[in-house]
């Protein structure tokens, strides 16, 4: 297994976090960015937290980590994405970990019952977990 890097460029971090955001800019050039990413994310202003989540593809959209193309599942994910974004004001992010999309449906339904603050924190934790996993899987 790869070790987490001591430093990463803006471009490398943008690949891991699905785009260049102010969060990525804050991590670039810092020592052990993937080790401190969770801590840095918690300290971001709310606007930057939402921006970081918005860079990630919606669950159900094309992504190398997501599997499963069942029309019913994709339709339900699209509907739940809409409900989630209307309720919380930001994108749903979950560490799929190569699970089929159908497994994400109950997770999404459960998370819709939570508070906005809980979801903002959870979404950022999931985003960091995704970035770390992407790093570990690259050669």
């Amino acid at each position: 297994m790869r070790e987490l890097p001591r430093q990463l460029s803006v471009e490398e971090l943008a690949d891991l976090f699905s785009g260049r955001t102010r969060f990525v800019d804050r991590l670039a050039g810092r020592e052990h960015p993937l080790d401190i990413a969770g801590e840095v994310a918690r300290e971001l202003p709310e606007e930057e937290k939402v921006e970081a989540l918005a860079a990630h593809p919606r669950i159900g959209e094309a992504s190398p980590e997501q599997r499963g193309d069942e029309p019913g599942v994709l339709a339900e994910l699209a509907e739940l994405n809409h409900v989630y974004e209307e309720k919380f004001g930001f994108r749903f992010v979950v560490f799929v970990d190569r699970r089929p999309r159908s497994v994400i449906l109950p997770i999404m339904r459960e998370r819709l019952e939570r508070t906005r603050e809980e979801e903002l924190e959870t979404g950022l934790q999931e985003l960091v977990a995704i970035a770390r996993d992407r790093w570990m899987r690259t050669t």
Side-chain angles (χ1 to χ4, degrees), residues 18-37:
S18 299
R20 185 169 181 178
T21 62
R22 288 174 282 181
F23 175 46
V24 164
D25 287 341
R26 288 177 187 264
L27 292 173
R30 302 250 331 244
E31 294 289 316
H32 307 286
L34 296 178
D35 286 335
I36 64 166

Side-chain angles (χ1 to χ4, degrees), residues 79-106:
E79 175 60 26
L80 289 173
N81 276 319
H82 176 74
V83 170
Y84 185 95
E85 289 176 25
E86 284 290 314
K87 178 177 180 175
F88 295 118
F90 51 84
R91 193 167 288 178
F92 174 79
V93 175
V94 65
F95 179 27
V96 173
D97 197 19
R98 294 166 288 285
R99 297 176 285 183
R101 290 181 173 123
S102 59
V103 173
I104 304 306
L105 290 170

Side-chain angles (χ1 to χ4, degrees), residues 6-57:
R6 181 180 163 137
Q7 285 192 318
L8 289 168
S9 69
V10 170
E11 293 78 18
E12 290 169 314
L13 286 163
D15 285 345
L16 298 175
F17 285 94
S18 299
R20 185 169 181 178
T21 62
R22 288 174 282 181
F23 175 46
V24 164
D25 287 341
R26 288 177 187 264
L27 292 173
R30 302 250 331 244
E31 294 289 316
H32 307 286
L34 296 178
D35 286 335
I36 64 166
E39 178 184 325
V40 171
R42 282 189 292 281
E43 301 299 322
L44 293 173
E46 183 172 317
E47 177 182 301
E48 291 182 32
K49 291 177 180 182
V50 172
E51 177 191 50
L53 295 174
H56 196 271

Side-chain angles (χ1 to χ4, degrees), residues 67-136:
R67 288 190 262 162
D69 293 326
E70 305 88 8
V73 171
L74 293 175
E76 189 169 356
L77 284 172
E79 175 60 26
L80 289 173
N81 276 319
H82 176 74
V83 170
Y84 185 95
E85 289 176 25
E86 284 290 314
K87 178 177 180 175
F88 295 118
F90 51 84
R91 193 167 288 178
F92 174 79
V93 175
V94 65
F95 179 27
V96 173
D97 197 19
R98 294 166 288 285
R99 297 176 285 183
R101 290 181 173 123
S102 59
V103 173
I104 304 306
L105 290 170
I107 296 167
M108 206 168 181
R109 286 188 212 107
E110 181 271 325
R111 285 181 49 190
L112 274 164
E113 301 302 317
R114 300 172 70 194
T115 67
R116 186 176 193 280
E117 293 75 25
E118 289 172 320
E119 274 306 292
L120 195 53
E121 176 69 23
T122 299
L124 289 166
Q125 290 171 4
E126 296 286 306
L127 186 65
V128 169
I130 293 163
R132 286 180 179 150
D133 182 68
R134 286 175 176 170
W135 172 261
M136 294 298 193

